[in-house]
Amino acid sequence: MKVSFAVPLLVFAAMAGLLLVGLHRDPGLVASPLVGGRLPGFALTEVRDPGRELRSEELAGEPALLNVWASWCGACLAEHPLLMSVAGEVPIYGLNYKDERTDALQWLARHGNPYLKSGHDREGRVGLDLGVYGVPETFVVDREGRIVHKHTGPISPRDWEETIRPLLRRLREESG
């Protein structure tokens, strides 16, 4: 009788402990097996001009950001003012994820366009190659085309100042 009471109590205590640990983890720190490796190859039609492409090779040459976004994404709208404010500081490329081109164009017209180019990933195939499971996600790419950092969720001013900007600065110094 005492054992049958103890087992559910132990299971409950273990689950409560796991949930408590999870509350103290940063959801923006999601490990990616791609960090340290080359950006997967892709060629997507541009959102603004379907006659042109955004190719993965274009992200090499200088440190850059690849920002995964969509018009239907509320968190993308939350981070968008920050992207607009830093667009002159770093090349930002977009990956418009599982979105309708007309919706994406209207969204950029309404909120501004921080992207040098934004590829239209209507079916989400490139997002799948990148391990995207939600938007927004942002990848920091070095001058060799390697992914050096992945940020999951909207970039906050604190994320920018404490993590991404210093990383970009270091990458520029290493390549210069």
Side-chain angles (χ1 to χ4, degrees):
M1 197 74 151
K2 292 180 183 179
V3 172
S4 64
F5 177 72
V7 171
L9 185 61
L10 288 172
V11 170
F12 174 78
M15 289 178 63
L18 288 173
L19 290 172
L20 188 61
V21 168
L23 287 174
H24 298 289
R25 293 199 170 187
D26 182 352
L29 299 175
V30 177
S32 170
L34 296 178
V35 172
R38 293 195 59 76
L39 187 65
F42 64 83
L44 293 169
T45 61
E46 280 191 62
V47 170
R48 288 187 301 183
D49 182 355
R52 296 179 58 205
E53 289 184 327
L54 169 63
R55 303 178 72 75
S56 53
E57 303 87 50
E58 294 178 63
L59 277 79
E62 65 179 312
L65 300 180
L66 177 61
N67 177 253
V68 183
W69 68 281
S71 65
W72 46 263
C73 166
C76 297
L77 184 56
E79 85 171 351
H80 199 71
L82 183 127
L83 294 177
M84 291 296 293
S85 72
V86 302
E89 185 176 334
V90 60
I92 304 174
Y93 295 88
L95 180 70
N96 179 240
Y97 184 69
K98 293 187 175 183
D99 207 353
E100 296 297 330
R101 186 181 307 274
T102 54
D103 294 340
L105 287 168
Q106 289 172 359
W107 196 87
L108 290 172
R110 187 175 314 118
H111 302 293
N113 186 354
Y115 307 109
L116 294 175
K117 285 184 170 181
S118 192
H120 187 228
D121 189 19
R122 173 68 184 105
E123 303 303 318
R125 289 188 180 106
V126 174
L128 185 63
D129 290 344
L130 288 167
V132 170
Y133 60 89
V135 290
E137 291 187 11
T138 303
F139 298 86
V140 178
V141 181
D142 72 7
R143 64 186 296 249
E144 303 299 323
R146 289 186 310 259
I147 298 171
V148 295
H149 179 74
K150 176 183 178 181
H151 182 88
T152 302
I155 300 170
S156 70
R158 183 177 182 177
D159 297 325
W160 177 257
E161 292 298 332
E162 294 181 5
T163 304
I164 298 172
R165 179 181 270 158
L167 176 57
L168 289 165
R169 193 172 291 135
R170 191 187 84 222
L171 291 171
R172 286 187 194 108
E173 289 169 2
E174 289 173 359
S175 65

